[in-house]
Amino acid sequence: GAGVSQSPRYKVAKRGQDVALRCDPISGHVSLFWYQQALGQGPEFLTYFQNEAQLDKSGLPSDRFFAERPEGSVSTLKIQRTQQEDSAVYLCASSLASGGYNEQFFGPGTRLTVL
Amino acid sequence: DAKTTQPPSMDCAEGRAANLPCNHSTISGNEYVYWYRQIHSQGPQYIIHGLKNNETNEMASLIITEDRKSSTLILPHATLRDTAVYYCIVGYDYKLSFGAGTTVTVRA
């Protein structure tokens, strides 16, 4: 079956540009997560959605980062005025249920390079 | 603060069992132990999780010590495709804290 997909797979931006990264979760999955993975490090949590509600955005590094999931399915992570330190792989994950722990299914990620 | 401690790397021979240790001495009573792995250029993949009892599935076995302060992930017959970074994670909800993991290299 179809897994989590992300687009684009690679994005190069000039410093100061805005970028939008898309995530298509597994159909029917209630929960959606975004993670940031710097080179050589493990993924770090950014934000969590339950359907269309953003319940946790504690990991977003600055107010330049914004995520939405308006219809409870596709999600977009937007980064405004990109900086070089934003260069990383951005991973999206979804899980079937909400509350407590449920297995998270990850997409392949979007590699963002800010020049 | 890191909740788990893993060796940075380890090698194992193809066809042999791979035993991956993880220390989590500050684990709380309601926290689970999860294992994920990440093959190069892919997103992390769930392997297994447990609370107190040992667990086994088609991919691996998880052995948790009685005091729950450490655990071991066992890949029974490692293949070249098992080469990956393995993450031991402790928690009770959706927020996974991955840490640096153990880079496992399976050699022919």
Side-chain angles (χ1 to χ4, degrees), chain B:
Chain B
D1 291 340
K3 283 191 168 184
T4 64
T5 303
Q6 298 177 253
S9 65
M10 61 183 294
D11 287 359
C12 67
E14 187 179 22
R16 305 295 293 269
N19 297 300
L20 283 62
C22 180
N23 287 324
H24 32 80
S25 58
T26 61
I27 192 169
S28 301
N30 62 345
E31 290 185 310
Y32 285 78
V33 179
Y34 317 114
W35 284 82
Y36 278 73
R37 74 179 183 183
Q38 188 172 23
I39 295 169
H40 184 62
S41 296
Q42 297 183 21
Q45 175 192 24
Y46 167 83
I47 301 173
I48 198 167
H49 75 282
L51 184 62
K52 296 181 184 178
N53 300 321
N54 299 336
E55 302 288 343
T56 295
N57 63 21
E58 65 279 2
M59 287 183 68
S61 295
L62 174 60
I63 308 299
I64 302 174
T65 58
E66 193 168 342
D67 64 6
R68 303 211 321 126
K69 292 185 177 182
S70 66
S71 61
T72 301
L73 179 74
I74 301 173
L75 307 178
H77 304 287
T79 71
L80 298 179
R81 288 178 293 181
D82 291 322
T83 292
V85 179
Y86 287 77
Y87 297 99
C88 171
I89 301 164
V90 161
Y92 61 88
D93 64 6
Y94 55 84
K95 195 177 293 186
L96 299 177
S97 298
F98 280 84
T102 297
T103 299
V104 174
T105 303
V106 180
R107 302 194 185 279

Side-chain angles (χ1 to χ4, degrees), chain A residues 11-100:
Chain A
K11 176 70 178 177
V12 178
K14 293 183 178 179
R15 189 172 55 183
Q17 284 185 329
D18 298 348
V19 298
L21 312 179
R22 177 187 169 107
C23 172
D24 286 81
I26 294 173
S27 178
H29 277 199
V30 168
S31 299
L32 185 143
F33 313 85
W34 284 98
Y35 292 82
Q36 179 190 58
Q37 185 170 23
L39 188 64
Q41 299 182 22
E44 293 192 359
F45 171 84
L46 293 179
T47 187
Y48 161 54
F49 288 86
Q50 181 181 320
N51 295 309
E52 70 279 2
Q54 188 175 19
L55 299 187
D56 187 343
K57 51 183 180 180
S58 62
L60 295 177
S62 77
D63 57 8
R64 296 185 296 103
F65 287 72
F66 172 76
E68 60 183 5
R69 194 187 185 198
E71 297 179 357
S73 55
V74 171
S75 176
T76 304
L77 176 67
K78 298 179 179 178
I79 309 173
Q80 297 176 324
R81 304 181 303 282
T82 52
Q83 304 295 315
Q84 285 188 322
E85 60 264 28
D86 300 335
S87 294
V89 175
Y90 291 86
L91 295 159
C92 175
S94 68
S95 67
L96 182 60
S98 62

